[in-house]
Amino acid sequence: MTSTGDIRDAPVGTRSRLLVPVLIAICTIVAVVSSVGAPLIPTVAETYGVSFTGAQWSLTITMLTGAVTVPVLGRLGDGPRRREVLIGALAVVLLGCIFAAVPGNFALLIVGRGLQGIGLGLMPLAMAIARDHLDPPRARSCVAALSVTAVAGIGLGYPLTGVIAHVWGFHACFVVAALASALVLVSAVVVVPSSGHLTRHRLDVTGALVLGAGLTFLLLAISLGGQWGWGSPLLVGSFAAAAGTLALWARHELRTPHPIVQLRLLRNRSVLTADVTGLLAGIGMFVLSSTVIRLVQTPTDTGYGLGRSAMVAGLVLVPFSLASVAANRLLPAASRVLPKNLIMPIGALAFVAALVVFLVGRSELWVVFAVMGIAGLGVGFTFAAMPALIVSAVPQHETGSALGVNQVTRTVGGAIGSAVSATVLAAYTVPDTLYPTADGYEAIIVVGAVLWLVTALLATVLPYARRRASRTPKANGSPRGDLEVRHGI
């Protein structure tokens, strides 16, 4: 096994210089493509003559397939076929964009959106490639940048979707997505290096199938709970099936020699806390974004809505995207000025500050723009610092799997966050009316603030776990990797 500093299989010359921008482009395009469905749900319902719940599957199916395939791609990417796996996944995303761009067939749209969700597993693969083929300083910078591409992609995807759909129709969104996916696919073929020096392990097919079933039950319950009723036997049964299936999966993973997810890594407090923090941060992020998009489009005659178009609602997320990217750029400087153990808590508290501003000033559109900028800074700092904590605590050959699990927690967190937002607002909606009362938005803001305060508390624990982990040798007896604590975040 080569260390991260051994770049004997790394690209040289122009390919080396292009690797970082290509990896960032891949993850950004995939994040944009995965976020395309959210603003289009009403248009899809109207175009295909399906219910709003049916149209919601154009978003749910992407999240579902992403959560299921992320750990599978992470495990496949921990072997000598990492490059082939990445290129193959990009090809599937391209095919999904082509299917979704075909007008007149709702089933084909759902299939295409499901194939696009496979791209959500590319982020941990890209991080593993950066760690394996770049020198330590560039690897740290690239991993941090890749971590915020999901946030940046949402901020870019929503407004781009609104503008393109407004001018050319919603199918044009997938045409543009197909062209962008084809471009990054060609770039990956040319630039991404081989990982043939890594050891090949047998894929745990049983573990992948059982995990997929468990996550399917869980996300179906979360996504359709409002439709079924939160106390319905169908919902309770789905949650029970999810719990039972995931428990069987965990038992299997702990007994198989080459599990799809190394659950034993969760014994390391850094990994466990980072994953729990990622889950809570994912919930809190989507609680705000879902709520803001809905508030901005609510009519003014409700007494609190801003009455703007879907395109304006998408533009509200632009400062969120730009600020998250800026936070990644500021992270190295911030880590030199502030104690490194405070970076993630400060990011979480910045998001709490954004929620407080939103609570008192949400009646003005410019305040909403400012809120999303502050929230973007908070998410950017939190997510950019998280991968370094994980990769410094696991053996190099487990990087893809460990980062894949973290991506799963974020994806599941997003699903829960969207469901929480819808559930709370529904509870404050008077029967036979379309819109909730203003108290509903106050309640969801309080829920979001509590989630981010808990995130800040957990993030404060991480430095102590990191110091203890840094005294423990890796499983293969080698010293800590290049992203070790001594290098900082």
Side-chain angles (χ1 to χ4, degrees), residues 33 37 54 59-60 135 148 156 186 205 220 354 383 416 427 432 450 463 478:
V33 169
L59 177 63
T60 302
D135 57 87
V148 299
L156 292 173
V186 172
V205 177
L220 282 175
F383 281 177
I416 296 173
D432 300 324
V450 170
S478 63

Side-chain angles (χ1 to χ4, degrees), residues 73-421:
L73 292 184
R75 172 53 64 192
L76 290 173
D78 280 332
R81 299 297 181 184
R82 180 186 294 155
R83 178 178 183 272
E84 290 80 359
V85 171
L86 183 139
I87 292 173
L90 280 174
V92 172
V93 172
L94 173 58
L95 182 63
C97 293
I98 295 173
F99 282 177
V102 176
N105 192 322
F106 180 67
L108 199 59
L109 171 67
I110 296 300
V111 171
R113 290 292 292 157
L115 295 177
Q116 292 167 26
I118 293 175
L120 293 173
L122 291 177
M123 184 181 296
L125 286 185
M127 290 180 178
I129 290 170
R131 188 187 185 198
D132 201 27
H133 297 284
L134 297 173
D135 57 87
R138 293 184 69 202
R140 292 194 302 274
S141 175
C142 183
V143 167
L146 292 172
S147 183
V148 299
T149 53
V151 181
I154 292 173
L156 292 173
Y158 282 15
L160 284 176
T161 298
V163 172
I164 295 172
H166 178 76
V167 176
W168 293 294
F170 84 89
H171 285 100
C173 297
F174 298 109
V175 174
V176 174
L179 294 174
S181 300
L183 181 61
V184 296
L185 174 59
V186 172
S187 301
V189 171
V190 174
V191 173
V192 174
S194 170
S195 60
H197 60 285
L198 298 178
T199 303
R200 182 176 184 177
H201 297 293
R202 182 179 61 86
L203 177 64
D204 178 20
V205 177
T206 301
L209 293 175
V210 177
L211 174 61
L215 289 177
T216 298
F217 284 126
L218 177 62
L219 290 183
L220 282 175
I222 293 171
S223 301
L224 300 178
Q227 176 186 352
W228 292 341
W230 293 102
S232 68
L234 187 58
L235 179 69
V236 174
S238 295
F239 275 123
T245 305
L246 291 175
L248 290 174
W249 168 76
R251 183 173 180 268
H252 168 79
E253 293 297 279
L254 291 173
R255 294 188 173 191
T256 189
H258 300 293
I260 192 171
V261 176
Q262 281 286 5
L263 292 180
R264 288 184 175 85
L265 293 175
L266 295 179
R267 295 175 180 173
N268 184 294
R269 289 180 58 194
S270 293
V271 177
L272 176 62
T273 310
D275 286 343
V276 173
T277 302
L279 175 67
L280 293 176
I283 297 173
M285 182 180 73
F286 275 85
V287 161
L288 178 62
S289 61
S290 300
T291 301
V292 165
I293 289 175
R294 185 166 175 176
L295 175 70
V296 170
Q297 297 181 77
T298 299
T300 56
D301 58 14
T302 58
Y304 63 85
L306 300 181
R308 305 305 175 100
S309 66
M311 186 168 64
V312 174
L315 291 173
V316 166
L317 292 181
V318 172
F320 184 72
S321 174
L322 296 178
S324 65
V325 174
N328 175 62
R329 296 290 185 181
L330 294 172
L331 186 61
S335 63
R336 289 192 294 268
V337 176
L338 299 170
K340 295 179 178 61
N341 61 313
L342 295 182
I343 297 295
M344 288 181 64
I346 288 175
L349 292 176
F351 207 105
V352 174
L355 289 168
V356 172
V357 175
F358 185 53
L359 178 65
V360 299
R362 62 185 183 277
S363 60
E364 299 290 339
L365 184 62
W366 70 268
V367 174
V368 177
F369 273 91
V371 163
M372 297 311 293
I374 299 171
L377 286 173
V379 169
F381 277 121
T382 303
F383 281 177
M386 197 176 298
L389 297 173
I390 295 174
V391 298
S392 66
V394 302
Q396 182 176 344
H397 64 279
E398 295 292 348
T399 300
S401 179
L403 293 173
V405 174
N406 189 251
Q407 183 66 19
V408 169
T409 62
R410 295 192 199 184
T411 303
V412 175
I416 296 173
S418 298
V420 167
S421 176

Side-chain angles (χ1 to χ4, degrees), residues 33-71:
V33 169
S34 65
S35 68
V36 163
L40 298 178
I41 291 173
T43 305
V44 169
E46 181 180 354
T47 301
Y48 289 103
V50 298
S51 66
F52 187 88
T53 301
Q56 183 77 26
W57 273 98
S58 63
L59 177 63
T60 302
I61 193 67
T62 306
M63 189 177 301
L64 177 60
T65 56
V68 171
T69 56
V70 162

